[in-house]
Amino acid sequence: MSATPQHPQKNRVSRRVLAATAGLVTVGALVAAMPAGAHDRGKGHGHGHQSRTVDVQLLSFNDLHGNLEPPAGSAGTVSETQADGTVTSVPAGGVEYLATSLRTARKGNPYSVTAAGGDMVGASPLLSGLFHDEPTIEALNGLDLDVTAVGNHEFDEGATELARLQNGGCHPVEGCYEKGKKFKGADFPYLAANVTSEKTGKPILKPYTVWKKNGVKIGFIGVTLEGTPNIVTANGVKGLKFHDEIETVNKYAKELDRQGVKSIVALIHEGGAPASASYNYDCDSPGAGDGISGPIVDIAKGITPKVDALVTGHTHQAYVCTVPDPSGKPRMVTSASSFGKLYTDTTLTYDRRTHDIVRTSVESANHIVSRDQAKATDMTKLIARWNTLAAPIANRPQGWITADIDGRGSTAPEKPLGNLIADAQLEGLAPEDKGGAVVAFMNPGGIRADLVYAASGSEGDGVVTYGEAFTVQPFTNMMNVVDLTGAQLVAALQQQVSGSNEASPKILQVSNGLTYTLDLTKSGADRVVADTIRLNGEAIDPAKTYRVAMNEFLAGGGDGFAALGEGTNKLVGASDLDLFNEYLAAHSTADAPLAPPATDRITVVQ
């Protein structure tokens, strides 16, 4: 795939001015050293005496994933620790409220820039996904987003489609969705410093951008995780090469420094795991960065001190931490959960003399996007307009349920919705003419929401609509059935907790009939107790061949499951969404709704 051509970004009247390089900023904070004694702070309006420093407000968020409407069920709540130590769940998110939150936060801040940390689109609910995420780009334009990094999901439909979202133009197959309206594209730049074309060796999008106002200059470098090819379908990253995050950021930080840009923020679509799920947890307790782990920690420790702050994402966690840079000085690292439920507000004090950020003065905090505030009317109109177009498809009933069936909102290794999806895949592909599958595997990251009992519209409680089913499985992956030996099947189960998945296990959701013990007191592959693995009560025979159903992502060895990529005699079946909807229709009626399946297939030893 050749490098995506770059087109000048549209100028934004009466808005902050971005330099002519394309880019994104995500949920983070900026920080840098300042000479001793330079403590004078002011808003620096540029009238009369100009103060030595000026406060720049950085607003950021990440992993929106096209969630224009408030996410349903547990996926639409934020955990908040109260003064007495108890934890409550607070409903949050939805662009009508995110717009209000950002606009309110900007008041009184003449120097304000809004950035994002990637995955703005992809794995989106039907309202956006049905239209190849044009509604989300339109909403982000309305939110006055200034810059964002690419995330792995920006590559779900390939680099050519990403370029269309950036530059505009109607979909090459489906055309324009509204008569007389051509999709305008993003009026903010996407940054992809570490994604290059295999043919040209050049970045497919601009690596960085510089935000300027009244002499204040802040550079933004955007990267996604180097491991993107392992978590995106092969077609999505065809012709692309993904490079090391640290090396890439350091390279372009040096380039910006040579241009006289001393204040730099890295937007990195990679993240960490705080020790608490509460958004207001202090991850700098007892010491700086002590409460966070995961890939972002090592990345933060390796990125040059020229970078003043890291805005991160990908893990859908909430944190505002300081992690030491290579020189040992604390540096802000932030993330704002996902789905627009939080935003980060960071105050960066810019020193006009050094052109750098006063790192000791950086203040940052995450804030809930509360649903108690007024809705932004322009976002309400945008949602209504696209909902009208989606309604004929979205509102079709697919099945009935008795209660919430948790998927994305479940933290357990085995999820009720995961079992339901795997069962649907096995049933649909078990007939000999459909593949002859005897077991099905579902990757947990492919489950994007819960099935919620409460009505999302006028369909009534307990009704599962096409739109709700689509939100659960928005990728429309084609299903594969392949031959795997018993040894390969066991190896795949062990790869859930070893290799690239050892530090952060990815527990496959398994169809009815497969059982085993997961012993979390052990380490590595031993956590899957091999001699407990049974299929329909019988031990797995290493030499026997089994027909295994899975989506095309897993069948390609995605998510670190190399053993699943070794399958032979592949048969391509229906899409995962079609099988899911067929199962709902076959197993539920208004009079006999489907209950959440039991979670008794994986015995977990803690």
Side-chain angles (χ1 to χ4, degrees), residues 38-209:
H39 301 304
D40 179 34
R41 297 175 68 176
K43 295 295 181 183
H45 292 261
H47 303 296
H49 172 70
Q50 193 174 60
S51 64
R52 164 101 181 241
T53 62
V54 58
D55 284 348
V56 177
Q57 178 189 56
L58 173 63
L59 301 176
S60 56
F61 57 96
N62 53 281
D63 295 277
L64 181 64
H65 289 288
N67 279 263
L68 303 181
E69 296 176 299
S74 56
T77 62
V78 170
S79 295
E80 181 178 56
T81 300
Q82 308 302 310
D84 62 1
T86 60
V87 178
T88 59
S89 293
V90 182
V95 295
E96 295 161 295
Y97 303 109
L98 179 59
T100 299
S101 290
L102 295 176
R103 290 164 185 173
T104 301
R106 291 177 187 132
K107 292 178 180 177
N109 291 282
Y111 291 80
S112 184
V113 57
T114 303
D119 277 5
M120 294 295 96
V121 300
S124 305
L126 183 132
L127 176 61
S128 185
L130 187 64
F131 306 105
H132 296 276
D133 283 311
E134 290 182 19
T136 295
I137 297 298
E138 182 181 336
L140 292 170
N141 289 343
L143 288 175
D144 289 342
L145 180 64
D146 284 300
V147 58
T148 186
V150 293
N152 54 287
H153 282 284
E154 262 82 19
F155 295 94
D156 283 348
E157 296 188 48
T160 301
E161 174 63 5
L162 173 58
R164 186 183 75 88
L165 292 180
Q166 175 75 88
N167 300 318
C170 296
H171 192 269
V173 176
E174 298 178 20
C176 300
Y177 295 110
E178 295 179 285
K179 188 175 181 179
K181 285 189 178 181
K182 181 181 177 182
F183 175 58
K184 296 179 180 179
D187 64 7
F188 53 89
Y190 264 107
L191 303 182
N194 67 329
V195 186
T196 60
S197 164
E198 289 181 347
K199 287 184 178 179
T200 68
K202 296 179 180 179
I204 62 166
L205 294 169
K206 292 290 186 178
Y208 58 82
T209 191

Side-chain angles (χ1 to χ4, degrees), residues 50 78 106 119 144 174 177 185 229 257 271 287 316 326 361 370 410 417 422 434 447 449 451 549 556 568 575:
Q50 193 174 60
V78 170
R106 291 177 187 132
D119 277 5
D144 289 342
E174 298 178 20
Y177 295 110
D257 185 65
H316 291 203
S361 298
S370 167
S410 171
L417 189 50
K434 301 293 186 183
I447 305 170
L451 274 187
T568 57
S575 74

